[in-house]
Amino acid sequence: MTEMTGAELFGARRVAFGAYAATYDAVRPEWPSKTVAWMLGSPATATVCRTVDLGAGTGKGTRAIAALGHEVIAVEPSDGMRKTLAVTLGTLPGIVAARICVVAGDAECARVLRPGGWLSLGWHHRSEDVEWSRELTDIVERHEKQPDDEEAPPVGKEFEPFETEVFTYRMRQSIEDLVLHASTWSYVAIHPECARILDDVRALGRRVADTDGMVEIPWTTRCYRQRRR
Ligand SMILES: C[S@@+](CC[C@H](N)C(=O)[O-])C[C@H]1O[C@@H](n2cnc3c(N)ncnc32)[C@H](O)[C@@H]1O
């Protein structure tokens, strides 16, 4: 197999999600309401916000924002992700679904934000403060250490300096959901030895699961927000 360049690998990872969108939606971490509220400018925000969820994926963040009473324009370039998002709208109470508008595409944040509006970014990271989570990293990054995707937002002249907050929570998952979850990490999904990596994840899950066959994944969500001047 020909080795991919860094740019080719990034491009392949960027569009890898659409093919397994329903699995992604079922097993990836949620956005806890306190995280979403902070990203929307809390505690100052008491009113209904008009928001854009850029790179909305299957709508995990979109649904969390709408559940808090805010309006969301969910912008997502992948047909597969948007299709799953559309299906999930049917599972929401009508009043919540009515706050969501889904569009294909991407956007320029500075152009669509009004003065005083927040540009917020958030990244979920699996914490490595428990031994088995470090073992999981060793399995999935066995062949290649993954670069940290997280980027602080650009401090352009249109924006005030950014603020940062970190949220933590634990996600309980069955062993098979843990395996599915790992299969949605884009660098695992496109890896030639994906099946073998997932077998090792399953073996780890079986070794560390509790008596109910569940594992608890420690998550840290790092968020950034900055106001449009
Ligand atoms: C890791 S997923 C996150 C999805 C969702 N925000 C969530 O929290 O589950 C990243 C999403 O960004 C989308 N994406 C990739 N490049 C993009 C771009 N240039 N503009 C907008 N979205 C993009 C991908 O299709 C994918 O659905």
Side-chain angles (χ1 to χ4, degrees):
M1 185 183 168
T2 321
E3 288 261 312
M4 281 198 250
T5 64
E8 285 168 342
L9 199 58
F10 180 79
R13 285 184 55 186
R14 195 174 81 82
V15 297
F17 300 109
Y20 47 82
T23 304
Y24 180 109
D25 194 61
V27 297
R28 283 288 191 111
E30 302 296 339
W31 290 91
S33 55
K34 63 181 179 184
T35 308
V36 173
W38 187 87
M39 291 173 82
L40 295 181
S42 69
T45 304
T47 52
V48 171
C49 300
R50 187 141 203 258
T51 69
V52 173
D53 185 9
L54 182 59
T58 61
K60 294 187 90 76
T62 303
R63 296 189 295 272
I65 298 167
L68 290 177
H70 305 295
E71 293 171 20
V72 196
I73 302 168
V75 180
E76 169 56 47
S78 155
D79 293 343
M81 297 298 251
R82 276 199 323 281
K83 204 166 148 193
T84 296
L85 201 172
V87 170
T88 70
L89 293 188
T91 68
L92 299 178
I95 191 171
V96 177
R99 296 178 191 133
I100 298 171
C101 165
V102 184
V103 294
D106 41 31
E108 301 147 50
C109 303
R111 184 172 63 82
V112 300
L113 265 179
R114 65 170 172 74
W118 291 99
L119 166 61
S120 301
L121 295 89
W123 278 266
H124 299 305
H125 295 282
R126 188 165 37 78
S127 308
E128 301 205 334
D129 58 356
V130 292
E131 171 65 24
W132 81 266
S133 184
R134 289 194 290 276
E135 287 185 50
L136 182 55
T137 301
D138 288 343
I139 291 170
V140 297
E141 297 190 3
R142 173 164 48 194
H143 301 284
E144 191 185 359
K145 177 97 186 89
Q146 290 306 308
D148 194 347
D149 285 342
E150 178 180 321
E151 283 178 34
V155 187
K157 61 180 182 337
E158 305 94 338
F159 292 96
E160 292 175 4
F162 63 80
E163 302 168 34
T164 310
E165 188 66 87
V166 173
F167 299 88
T168 59
Y169 73 106
R170 300 207 168 232
M171 179 186 191
R172 237 169 111 69
Q173 226 162 27
S174 70
I175 297 164
E176 283 312 310
D177 278 354
L178 173 69
V179 174
L180 283 174
H181 189 158
S183 77
T184 70
W185 293 332
S186 54
Y187 53 93
V188 173
I190 66 169
H191 199 286
E193 292 187 37
C194 175
R196 199 150 69 85
I197 292 172
L198 296 180
D199 281 347
D200 289 349
V201 171
R202 182 176 291 105
L204 173 66
R206 285 181 179 151
R207 185 156 57 76
V208 300
D210 62 20
T211 50
D212 294 326
M214 306 290 279
V215 293
E216 220 173 55
I217 309 175
W219 285 106
T220 297
T221 305
R222 177 173 289 280
C223 302
Y224 300 89
R225 67 182 185 189
Q226 59 184 155
R227 270 187 200 277
R228 176 85 162 90
R229 292 188 195 279

